[in-house]
Amino acid sequence: QVQLVESGGGLVQPGGSLRLSCAASRFTAKYYAIGWFRQAPGKEREGVSCIRSSDGSTYYADSVKGRFTISRDNAKNTVYLQMNSLKPEDTAVYYCALVFGWYREIPQKREQYPYWGQGTQVTVSS
């Protein structure tokens, strides 16, 4: 069974930075995508950023473009989300998710991802 473990969340002041990690294990596949999603209290879970394993192509939500960077280390099966210039509205539980297969367009919707981690809390507050 695929396992996804997030880490790196915490409390940070506005304007600060955090780096989230998503360690994926218990699978062997050449083609897959990993996405970061977040859910704030009372809100729907939304896509933040996604990356395709085959070529490293990426997707970013408009709300995080220019502030967040997704990257991967294929040797470690780990995906990172570097979050800079954090804002209070970035406060949420952040989840990583995985979908197998090759897609012309990187999967961006939560419904497309069958495997999920347990989430890590990010709180941006002074």
Side-chain angles (χ1 to χ4, degrees):
Q1 180 69 10
V2 174
Q3 186 175 45
L4 301 170
V5 179
E6 302 98 333
S7 61
L11 173 64
V12 64
Q13 292 186 342
S17 298
L18 282 174
R19 189 178 81 155
L20 306 183
S21 299
C22 172
S25 60
R26 300 182 184 177
F27 74 94
T28 54
K30 182 177 182 180
Y31 298 113
Y32 60 90
I34 289 183
W36 283 99
F37 296 78
R38 66 186 181 186
Q39 187 166 19
K43 294 190 176 181
E44 294 284 321
R45 192 172 298 186
E46 63 176 358
V48 175
S49 183
C50 309
I51 190 166
R52 191 162 58 194
S53 66
S54 57
D55 60 1
S57 293
T58 58
Y59 156 81
Y60 294 95
D62 288 343
S63 58
V64 305
K65 280 181 181 177
R67 300 189 298 122
F68 291 10
T69 303
I70 192 170
S71 61
R72 76 197 196 284
D73 184 334
N74 284 346
K76 296 181 178 180
N77 273 358
T78 299
V79 170
Y80 305 97
L81 186 68
Q82 178 68 43
M83 305 186 296
N84 298 329
S85 302
L86 283 162
K87 305 175 181 180
E89 51 263 43
D90 294 318
T91 295
V93 178
Y94 283 70
Y95 300 88
C96 69
L98 181 147
V99 58
F100 291 115
W102 185 89
Y103 298 85
R104 182 187 302 274
E105 183 175 327
I106 299 171
Q108 303 168 14
K109 300 179 181 179
R110 56 179 289 189
E111 298 79 15
Q112 296 174 287
Y113 288 80
Y115 303 100
W116 290 82
Q118 82 288 349
T120 184
Q121 176 71 46
V122 171
T123 302
V124 185
S125 175
S126 55

